[in-house]
């Protein structure tokens, strides 16, 4: 029924709204729900709970705009008795609209509220808005006045009132739970027959059970019936009504306070849909459940794939939820990194459904070193550290070694080499470019043969250390020579064998000449803590201050990277925070452009792996040495004089052997990240 005079209605609204709203005693505030035929958002005043707005087709036939229709509904929340409420349906022409506002006034109690609905995005066309609001709680026997206005105001004013009549009591019945038979027995007293069914109570409706458990049975007075259920859940209810259409109904939800309803069966009734993607570093799962659950989701990790295995919580890892979809970003998606869903005193662990992780790692023993083989299908950075078992835990110890697969590079094997410092050491490996990552524990096989090899390797390492110390004591650089000055060794990560040459040359300079060699492969911990580019710029500044040398080891791979650097950046900054070679080229480019030829830059190359034509024209003015032919000249330039014949012969033999290995495997390619050719790790690594 509508008011004939809109002006009188407006005056009445103003008078009544001026009275402070007094909520009725015992009134329950429901969770609001708005359905619209467009993407929407909704808000309400503080007297109502935060509303939720969903896009969906109207439950009934659409209204012809402009229209405002009111009807009585029942709101049955899981832990509260059912109560009457006011359902609002409206239709508006969409042209020029951004939103609308509904004003409610419950006459008699003077309880006033408002609800706003807004369109999220502008949409082409002008299809009429169809909106349904479920629903505004009202006391039985109260009259409610509802008015509508548009945003922006288009001069449209619609008001309606509705009387919510008191309802007589529904039909009576009794019930009994039979857990061993997984049924509920319903008894109808003497009198008229009743239609009886089991249902799942949602916000506004009691939804039928899925087949084959959906049964609606006509039970004569004085008889009983057993109704089976699939899962014992809190929202499982019994509903009875008279056979007549739209008759009164009675409903009971006896398991809302039953602890058994919050056990494993609750989670068995939930279907989990996994949308996690390793390429986006995001975990995402959607829930579809029989009951209106809003659990909390956090990360946890398992050590093994068994469902009964414990799942260790990850701190500060709560996922965000929207429309029953739970997402968490910056995650290394892995089959053993899972979501723990918690609801009340119950919880459930659900792991990603894709069995294959985005990366894999294996471990092998190589002399005095542990070799990690990493393969990754996504660009990522990986870190590794040695650890020792203490009190059931294996905590990583410094230094931390890091290797990166750059964005845009082809999938290939990466390698990290870690020195064996203590027999029985294990390795922890994890992705270091994300916020949440599971640390994978790898322990070498030190039983039988491997144990003997490790012991022999450590013994040989001790002997070699003593020999090198004796050699350095027998030959010391003369006073004032360049032996104590720093040498910053830069290179391009072409292959593992090429890194062997890099490390061999660095070890020769360090052990033979007494140079303080600065090499990122030997300072993985410092590089990992400071970052690749800050580390490089700090070392370059130190070399300049202490009148040292920047030794640039050139190769055909360096030529390819130099062309990519010049073509992609035009002489600018490196594109990747881990690209030390690109940063070195940018640094050299700036120094050559600013001061011409720099005397502290030296370029060297191996004759069997590179030719003078591979050196770019802008770098040819640098002092250049061909190895191993011009190794004595290089050593003399760094030392300030010619080295002895023993040192010269030993260096040539070592470099010849490594060059043969590089030349034979150059075509196969390799991986970067460790220092496979270094006889000893420098102190402090």
């Amino acid at each position: 029924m509508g008011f004939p005079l809109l002006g009188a209605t407006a005056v009445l609204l103003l008078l009544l709204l001026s009275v402070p709203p007094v909520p009725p005693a015992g009134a329950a505030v429901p969770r609001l729900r708005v359905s619209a035929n467009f993407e929407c958002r909704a808000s309400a005043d503080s007297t109502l709970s935060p509303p939720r707005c969903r896009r969906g087709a109207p439950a009934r036939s659409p209204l012809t705009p402009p229209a405002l229709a009111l009807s009585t509904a029942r709101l049955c929340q899981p832990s509260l008795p059912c109560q009457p409420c006011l359902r609002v349906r409206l239709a508006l022409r969409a042209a020029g609209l951004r939103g609308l506002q509904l004003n409610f006034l419950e006459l008699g109690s003077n309880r006033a509220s408002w609800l706003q609905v807004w369109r999220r995005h502008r949409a082409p066309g002008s299809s009429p808005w169809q909106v349904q609001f479920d629903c505004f709680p009202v006391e039985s026997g109260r009259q409610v006045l509802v008015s509508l206005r548009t945003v922006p105001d288009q001069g449209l004013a619609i008001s309606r009132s509705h009387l919510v009549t008191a309802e007589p009591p529904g039909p009576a019945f009794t019930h009994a739970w039979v857990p061993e038979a997984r049924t509920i027995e319903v008894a109808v007293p003497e009198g008229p027959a009743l239609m009886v069914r089991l249902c799942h109570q949602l916000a506004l409706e009691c939804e039928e059970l899925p087949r084959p458990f959906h049964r609606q049975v006509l039970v004569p007075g004085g008889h009983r019936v057993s109704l089976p259920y699939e899962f014992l859940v809190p929202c499982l209810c019994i509903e009875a009504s008279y056979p007549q259409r739209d008759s009164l109904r009675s409903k009971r939800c006896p398991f809302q306070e039953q602890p058994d309803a919050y056990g494993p069966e609750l989670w068995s009734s939930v279907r989990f849909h996994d949308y996690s993607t390793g390429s986006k570093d995001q975990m995402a799962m959607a829930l579809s459940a029989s009951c209106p659950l809003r659990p909390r989701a956090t990360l946890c990790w398992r050590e093994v794939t068994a469902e009964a295995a414990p799942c260790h919580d990850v701190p500060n890892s709560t996922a965000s939820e929207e429309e029953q979809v739970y997402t968490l970003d910056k995650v290394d998606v892995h089959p053993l990194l899972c979501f723990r869903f918690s609801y009340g005193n119950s919880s459930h662990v659900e792991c990603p459904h894709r069995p294959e992780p985005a990366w894999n790692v294996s471990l092998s023993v190589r002399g005095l070193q542990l070799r990690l083989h990493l393969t990754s299908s996504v660009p990522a950075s990986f870190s590794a550290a040695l650890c020792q078992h203490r009190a059931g835990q294996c905590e990583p110890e410094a230094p931390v070694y890091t290797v990166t697969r750059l964005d845009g590079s082809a999938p290939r094997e990466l390698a990290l080499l870690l020195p064996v410092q203590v027999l029985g050491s294990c390795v922890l490996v994890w992705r270091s470019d994300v916020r949440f990552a599971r640390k994978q524990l790898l322990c070498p096989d030190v039983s039988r043969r491997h144990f003997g090899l490790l012991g022999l390797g450590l013994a040989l390492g001790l002997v070699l250390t003593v020999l090198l110390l004796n050699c350095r004591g027998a030959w010391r650089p003369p006073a004032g020579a360049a032996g104590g000055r720093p040498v910053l060794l830069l290179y391009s990560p072409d292959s593992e064998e090429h890194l062997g040459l890099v490390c061999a040359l660095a070890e020769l300079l360090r052990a033979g000449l007494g140079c303080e060699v600065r090499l990122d492969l030997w300072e993985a911990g410092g590089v990992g803590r400071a970052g690749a580019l800050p580390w490089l710029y700090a070392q370059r500044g130190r070399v300049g201050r202490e009148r040292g040398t920047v030794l640039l080891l050139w190769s055909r791979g360096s030529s390819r990277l130099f062309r990519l650097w010049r073509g992609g950046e035009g002489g600018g900054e490196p594109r990747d925070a881990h690209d030390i070679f690109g940063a070195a080229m940018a640094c050299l480019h700036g120094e050559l452009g600013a001061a011409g030829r720099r005397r502290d830059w030296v370029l060297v190359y191996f004759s069997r792996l590179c030719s003078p034509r591979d050196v770019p024209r802008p770098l040819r003015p640098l002092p250049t040495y061909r190895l191993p032919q011009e190794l004595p000249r290089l050593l003399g330039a760094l030392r300030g004089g010619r080295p002895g014949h023993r040192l010269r012969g030993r260096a040539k033999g070592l470099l010849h052997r490594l060059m043969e290995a590089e030349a034979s495997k150059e075509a196969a390619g390799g991986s970067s990240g460790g220092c496979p050719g270094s006889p000893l790790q420098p102190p402090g690594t």
Side-chain angles (χ1 to χ4, degrees):
M1 175 180 76
F3 281 90
L5 296 177
L6 295 179
T9 302
V11 173
L12 179 62
L13 267 175
L14 291 174
L15 291 174
L16 292 175
L17 286 174
S18 62
V19 182
V22 180
V29 178
R31 171 171 293 278
L32 305 186
R33 184 175 70 179
V34 178
S35 302
N37 61 345
F38 54 88
E39 295 293 337
C40 60
R41 60 181 177 87
S43 59
D45 67 354
S46 59
T47 65
L48 300 175
S49 61
R52 302 180 66 183
C53 198
R54 297 183 179 182
R55 180 172 184 172
R60 303 178 184 178
S61 58
L63 301 174
T64 301
L68 177 65
L70 310 178
S71 60
T72 302
R74 291 177 61 82
L75 180 61
C76 299
Q77 291 186 295
S79 59
L80 297 172
C82 295
Q83 66 175 124
C85 66
L86 185 67
R87 174 176 293 157
V88 181
R89 298 176 63 218
L90 62 92
L92 293 172
R93 293 183 178 88
L97 284 186
R98 295 202 315 268
L100 60 90
Q101 177 167 322
L102 291 171
N103 294 303
F104 299 89
L105 179 63
E106 185 181 75
L107 303 181
S109 66
N110 289 341
R111 185 167 65 95
S113 298
W114 55 261
L115 171 77
Q116 293 178 342
V117 180
W118 302 89
R119 167 173 273 171
R120 284 187 179 272
H121 311 290
R122 291 184 178 272
S126 57
S127 57
W129 284 13
Q130 299 285 338
V131 181
Q132 178 170 314
F133 168 48
D134 295 309
C135 55
F136 180 72
V138 186
E139 284 188 2
S140 295
R142 296 286 190 182
Q143 188 167 3
V144 182
L145 180 66
V146 181
S147 62
L148 166 69
R149 70 177 183 87
T150 60
V151 179
D153 191 359
Q154 296 181 341
L156 177 66
I158 305 178
S159 297
R160 297 286 186 271
S161 67
H162 186 81
L163 178 62
V164 179
T165 58
E167 295 183 346
F173 64 90
T174 59
H175 73 278
W177 176 36
V178 188
E180 58 274 10
R182 300 185 64 81
T183 61
I184 298 176
E185 190 176 83
V186 181
V188 177
E190 294 291 342
L194 297 179
M195 295 292 297
V196 178
R197 66 165 185 153
L198 299 182
C199 57
H200 290 141
Q201 180 61 56
L202 305 182
L204 296 172
E205 300 176 355
C206 206
E207 191 176 75
E208 63 186 29
L209 271 60
R211 298 187 183 278
F213 298 94
H214 171 61
R215 293 179 59 190
Q216 190 164 354
V217 183
L218 181 63
V219 183
H223 291 74
R224 62 185 62 231
V225 65
S226 293
L227 300 176
Y229 59 86
E230 183 178 13
F231 300 111
L232 186 70
V233 291
C235 64
L236 182 63
C237 302
I238 311 154
E239 187 180 75
S241 62
Y242 296 111
Q244 298 88 350
R245 184 179 179 86
D246 295 331
S247 68
L248 291 175
R249 299 172 183 267
S250 294
K251 181 166 47 186
R252 296 178 190 171
C253 302
F255 303 107
Q256 295 169 359
E257 307 298 330
Q258 176 63 251
D260 292 341
Y262 295 87
E265 290 196 37
L266 172 64
W267 300 108
S268 298
S269 69
V270 180
R271 293 184 296 278
F272 297 91
H273 308 276
D274 179 30
Y275 300 103
S276 304
T277 55
S279 59
K280 296 182 179 180
D281 300 333
Q282 182 188 72
M283 276 191 68
M285 287 192 183
L287 275 60
S288 55
S290 303
C291 294
L293 303 179
R294 293 179 63 85
R296 179 174 176 263
T298 56
L299 279 183
C300 65
W301 62 273
R302 281 175 167 161
E303 298 179 6
V304 293
T305 56
E307 290 189 5
C311 201
H312 309 284
D313 291 325
V314 177
N316 304 318
S317 61
T318 302
S320 60
E321 183 268 339
E322 183 176 0
E323 302 294 339
Q324 295 291 89
V325 178
Y326 293 80
T327 57
L328 188 63
D329 294 324
K330 297 292 183 181
V331 180
D332 175 25
V333 179
H334 192 278
L336 296 180
L337 193 60
C338 313
F339 270 145
R340 184 193 301 278
F341 293 94
S342 303
Y343 184 76
N345 295 326
S346 178
S347 66
H348 170 79
V349 173
E350 189 73 16
C351 300
H353 300 171
R354 294 168 177 79
E356 292 298 325
W359 63 276
N360 287 288
V361 61
S362 61
L363 175 68
S364 61
V365 180
R366 182 172 180 168
L368 293 176
Q369 296 170 320
L370 302 178
R371 180 176 179 178
L372 296 174
H373 308 263
L374 289 146
T375 56
S376 176
S377 60
V378 297
S381 294
F382 302 94
S383 293
L386 296 174
C387 69
Q388 299 293 326
H389 282 284
R390 297 185 183 92
Q393 300 289 333
C394 203
E395 295 297 331
E397 301 175 346
V400 176
Y401 301 81
T402 301
V403 67
T404 299
R405 188 202 143 188
L406 302 178
D407 191 7
S409 61
R412 60 190 177 99
E413 182 179 283
L414 306 172
L416 271 175
L417 285 162
L418 283 69
V420 178
Q421 299 173 345
V422 181
L423 282 178
S425 295
C426 295
V427 183
L428 283 171
V429 188
W430 67 95
R431 271 191 64 179
S432 51
D433 60 329
V434 294
R435 184 182 176 192
F436 304 104
R438 173 185 175 270
K439 288 182 171 65
Q440 188 165 343
L441 179 65
L442 301 173
C443 296
D445 181 10
V446 296
S447 61
R448 299 184 294 277
R449 182 174 66 88
H450 290 94
F451 184 86
L453 289 176
L454 277 175
L456 178 61
L458 289 174
L460 291 176
L462 179 61
V463 173
L464 186 56
T465 303
V466 174
L467 290 176
L468 283 173
L469 290 175
N470 290 336
C471 290
R472 293 190 64 177
W475 181 87
R476 298 178 182 275
R485 296 173 185 170
V487 174
L488 175 58
L489 184 54
L490 301 174
Y491 63 95
S492 59
D494 300 352
S495 67
E496 184 180 335
E497 287 73 24
H498 181 72
L499 294 184
L501 291 171
V502 174
C503 295
L505 180 60
E507 180 65 21
L508 174 65
L509 299 176
R510 186 185 67 87
L513 288 182
C515 296
E516 184 183 350
V517 180
R518 315 303 295 179
L519 180 63
D520 64 322
L521 299 173
W522 285 352
E523 301 184 23
V527 175
R529 287 188 294 271
L533 303 190
W535 177 87
L536 172 65
Y537 296 138
Q539 300 306 320
R540 177 64 188 98
R542 181 181 178 186
V543 167
R545 291 191 301 272
E546 300 182 14
R547 301 177 62 188
T549 303
V550 181
L551 195 63
L552 183 58
L553 184 57
W554 203 258
S555 65
R556 291 192 179 97
S558 304
S559 300
R560 290 191 295 268
L561 290 179
F562 183 82
R563 289 193 298 269
L564 288 174
W565 173 78
R566 294 203 71 181
E569 291 295 329
E573 293 299 319
R575 285 172 289 179
D576 189 88
H578 302 276
D579 183 11
I580 293 182
F581 180 82
M585 293 301 98
C587 182
L588 176 57
H589 176 80
E591 293 184 16
L592 289 176
R597 175 173 171 173
R598 295 300 300 256
R599 295 184 179 276
D600 53 355
W601 283 83
V602 172
L603 187 144
V604 299
Y605 65 92
F606 294 103
S607 59
R608 293 183 57 182
L609 309 177
C610 189
S611 71
R613 293 188 301 272
D614 294 318
V615 179
R617 190 174 300 276
L619 304 186
R620 291 178 185 176
L622 295 177
T624 304
Y625 297 90
R626 178 186 180 194
L627 302 182
Q629 289 85 351
E630 297 180 336
L631 178 61
R633 288 184 55 220
L634 172 63
L635 298 180
L638 294 176
R639 182 189 171 211
R642 295 181 60 83
H645 292 284
R646 289 186 179 179
L647 176 62
R648 205 163 53 204
R650 186 167 67 246
K652 279 191 175 183
L654 175 61
L655 293 180
H656 270 300
R657 289 194 299 273
L658 289 171
M659 284 174 61
E660 290 174 0
E662 168 70 13
S664 63
K665 298 182 179 180
E666 186 186 24
S671 59
S672 62
C675 200
S678 175
L680 280 177
Q681 294 287 346
T685 61

